[in-house]
Amino acid sequence: MTTADAPHLDLPQGLPSFQAPPKGFIGHALRAGWQDFRTAPMFGLLTGAAAMFAGWVLLGLTLWAGHTFWLILAVFGFPLVAPLCALGTYEVSRRIGAGLPTDVGAVFRRLRAEQGRQLPWLSMLLVVALLFWFFLGHMIFALFLGLKPMVNVTTSLDVFLSVDGLMMLALGTGVGGAFALLFFGICVLGLPLLLAREVDYVTAMLASLSYARTWGAPMLGWAMLIAALLFLAMLPALLGLLVVLPWLGHASWHIYAQVASGAR
């Protein structure tokens, strides 16, 4: 599928010009994102509720199976797909800025139009990355704890606090962090680019990675804030995702809007 085959949405062609992150751009994005959430909360609440429910299902399956390791993989893997979960909130913020209707039906129709464009390709890449992370995480687990007694809900803490367990957690955290940074670099501008302009997904990925590398320090600050807020949101039985996930989604659009000329 090429952009020539996609539905005509009257979007600007090609990459915009990018500028350096302005001073205080993260604070501005958070304030603007919160205002967007308050202005049109319904889609964001649906997004947060869906993520929260999916987490509850995963937790239930973990407790039923008696293995906590899969839950650890999911917690570290969630940041890989969090931008995809919040994709609809990007569209809500874009529509608010353009003075377009923000009802749930209008947003869903716009997202449905993406099925013939480039976003599904990047979405598929994120899902494959999450599956690969689960595979790699399982291999790391087998390398350090494969010969240990079966890890279950009642004994896993003792196993994870052993020397092998701590080494496994350290390596897994490092590998998971590398995955998260890579896909943050791909998505931080790549996803809003694909939503706002006619550009192929490879170009959008490379442009996003290049920008994140060029402005490493401020973009790393944004990445670390996202990770910290998502982690805190998951602590109270995932209830924080109901608000934090859409808030960060709206804010992410405003990160893009501040550095991309003519963003709409």
Side-chain angles (χ1 to χ4, degrees):
M1 178 69 68
T2 66
T3 53
D5 304 317
H8 179 67
L9 295 173
D10 192 27
L11 299 177
Q13 297 283 333
L15 294 174
S17 298
F18 291 111
Q19 62 183 16
K23 183 178 180 180
F25 78 110
I26 293 178
H28 172 79
L30 291 173
R31 290 189 296 271
W34 182 250
Q35 182 59 45
D36 286 353
F37 184 39
R38 292 182 60 189
T39 300
M42 185 55 66
F43 197 93
L45 290 173
L46 289 174
T47 298
M52 185 174 63
F53 180 76
W56 286 347
V57 171
L58 181 60
L59 178 60
L61 290 174
T62 299
L63 295 175
W64 174 76
H67 296 278
T68 57
F69 181 65
W70 295 107
L71 188 60
I72 293 175
L73 290 178
V75 168
F76 281 99
F78 180 71
L80 297 180
V81 293
L84 188 59
C85 295
L87 183 61
T89 59
Y90 295 9
E91 173 62 13
V92 173
S93 287
R94 188 189 74 85
R95 297 177 79 85
I96 290 174
L100 299 172
T102 58
D103 59 278
V104 173
V107 176
F108 270 121
R109 286 191 295 272
R110 175 64 174 81
L111 292 179
R112 185 177 181 183
E114 292 294 332
Q115 65 183 355
R117 299 181 68 244
Q118 295 289 298
L119 265 174
W121 294 101
L122 183 52
S123 302
M124 181 173 62
L125 183 62
L126 291 176
V127 172
V128 170
L130 181 62
L131 295 176
F132 182 69
W133 159 243
F134 270 85
F135 169 77
L136 190 59
H138 189 270
M139 295 298 294
I140 293 173
F141 175 82
L143 177 65
F144 288 97
L145 300 178
L147 299 179
K148 297 287 184 179
M150 182 65 69
V151 177
N152 56 50
V153 173
T154 59
T155 65
S156 59
L157 183 60
D158 292 338
V159 175
F160 290 144
L161 291 180
S162 66
V163 174
D164 287 342
L166 291 174
M167 292 176 63
M168 183 273 294
L169 290 174
L171 179 60
T173 299
V175 173
F179 264 80
L181 282 176
L182 173 63
F183 280 87
F184 168 81
I186 288 173
C187 293
V188 63
L189 298 183
L191 283 176
L193 260 175
L194 292 176
L195 192 66
R197 303 181 70 94
E198 291 290 0
V199 60
D200 68 89
Y201 77 100
V202 175
T203 299
M205 288 168 51
L206 293 177
S208 185
L209 276 172
S210 177
Y211 188 90
R213 183 176 63 249
T214 301
W215 302 101
M219 300 309 288
L220 180 60
W222 175 232
M224 293 175 65
L225 181 61
I226 290 175
L229 289 176
L230 285 176
F231 177 75
L232 292 175
M234 289 188 285
L235 288 180
L238 307 180
L239 293 173
L241 291 177
L242 190 64
V243 172
V244 171
L245 184 61
W247 177 31
L248 289 176
H250 289 299
S252 295
W253 170 262
H254 288 284
I255 292 289
Y256 166 77
Q258 289 180 87
V259 303
S261 63
R264 68 177 181 91

